[in-house]
Amino acid sequence: MITVGTTVVSGSPINGGGGAGLPVAGGAGEVPVSTGAGTTYAASPISTEVSGVLAGFLGAVSGQTVIGDGAGDLATTSADVSALLASADAPAMRSALCDRTISLAGLTPSNGNGTAVAATGTLSYASGQTGGAWADYPRLVGAHGTSIWAFEAAVRITITGTASSNTVASLGIGSTGSAYDAVSMVRLFGDGQIDGLAVSGAAVWSVYTPGTLPVDGTGWLRVRVQAGVMTCWTGVGASYSAAAWTLRDRRLMVAPPNADNTYPSLALVLYQGVDPGAPGVQAVYSNFTIRDLP
């Protein structure tokens, strides 16, 4: 029997006890669930049913959740926010917030005395070609979109062909002048040696932790500037996040002023000091990443 106000409703199809009405509950916290049109209800734990509804609504996208839409209704998180919430841990979340992968195809290629192909991140010299000055270097140049006073830039490099100590692949941040006034740079030589540049003008190329880096595509170059200190790093690994990093140099950075003191340009450059001979030398850049630092 069910009482609504002062009215007694008897024989209602929602009376408990099975049959055409509600099922007999097997325990606390259960709700009736239909098993199909024209069928009876079955008792099911409410937690199971709520979980099923949420899984069907959100489960197809990792990290997706429900948020208010500001207009009295509900919406789901965007792809970017969902990916952030799906991060495995705090470092992965910081990476999702701060890392920006730069499309090499969006950089401007200049052949110099060699060949520059932005789509593949490839810089090369054929036999008989050399580069002794900025205008001669095959290079990829573009805007990095960050502050040079709090940033990190990293790139993976593969060097092939007749590379030697006269072959130098570099990652630099600087101005956009004809000679590319670099404010910070790290370089990988064809024989695996590395060095770093702290500041243009009275520049000193050095590292206080010497060593070599693979040129087979597992080697990474990274330059970081934070709180007026520039550090150069090398890494070895299949990806930026998985690379094992080694600090190579650390020094105060006192940047000479350029037009707006922002040094808005990044450059990937290949230098070749002597004729490489056949088949020539090639540097392939990939996975270029800029990280904004606090």
Side-chain angles (χ1 to χ4, degrees), residues 97-152:
L97 283 171
C98 299
D99 294 356
R100 293 180 288 113
T101 300
I102 304 295
S103 172
L104 296 178
L107 302 181
T108 300
S110 296
N111 289 328
N113 288 347
T115 302
V117 182
T120 59
T122 302
L123 306 176
S124 61
Y125 292 91
S127 177
Q129 296 177 332
T130 62
W134 173 254
D136 304 332
Y137 306 152
R139 58 198 182 273
L140 304 174
V141 180
H144 54 69
T146 191
S147 165
I148 65 158
W149 303 108
F151 81 97
E152 178 178 287

Side-chain angles (χ1 to χ4, degrees), residues 33-252:
V33 179
S34 65
T35 56
T39 64
T40 58
Y41 289 91
S44 177
I46 190 169
S47 59
T48 299
E49 299 309 314
V50 171
S51 176
V53 170
L54 291 176
F57 189 50
L58 304 171
V61 179
S62 181
Q64 190 174 70
T65 190
V66 176
I67 55 175
D69 69 353
D73 207 343
L74 297 176
T76 55
T77 48
S78 67
D80 287 345
V81 172
S82 298
L84 176 65
L85 296 176
S87 300
D89 49 31
M93 185 169 286
R94 284 194 294 270
S95 177
L97 283 171
C98 299
D99 294 356
R100 293 180 288 113
T101 300
I102 304 295
S103 172
L104 296 178
L107 302 181
T108 300
S110 296
N111 289 328
N113 288 347
T115 302
V117 182
T120 59
T122 302
L123 306 176
S124 61
Y125 292 91
S127 177
Q129 296 177 332
T130 62
W134 173 254
D136 304 332
Y137 306 152
R139 58 198 182 273
L140 304 174
V141 180
H144 54 69
T146 191
S147 165
I148 65 158
W149 303 108
F151 81 97
E152 178 178 287
V155 71
R156 182 164 60 171
I157 301 179
T158 305
I159 300 177
T160 58
T162 48
S164 68
S165 60
N166 289 294
T167 305
V168 187
S170 63
L171 158 64
I173 302 293
S175 68
T176 54
S178 59
Y180 195 74
D181 186 16
V183 70
S184 58
M185 184 179 290
V186 61
R187 307 190 298 182
L188 172 62
F189 291 74
D191 61 358
Q193 300 296 318
I194 49 95
D195 66 10
L197 169 68
V199 62
S200 59
V204 177
W205 294 99
S206 67
V207 289
Y208 70 71
T209 307
T212 60
L213 186 68
V215 297
D216 61 359
T218 60
W220 293 72
L221 299 179
R222 181 171 74 179
V223 68
R224 175 187 288 173
V225 179
Q226 192 172 30
V229 176
M230 191 201 83
T231 52
C232 293
W233 305 70
T234 59
V236 179
S239 67
Y240 174 74
S241 59
W245 295 97
T246 300
L247 176 63
R248 297 297 186 181
D249 198 28
R250 180 180 184 274
R251 65 184 71 235
L252 293 176

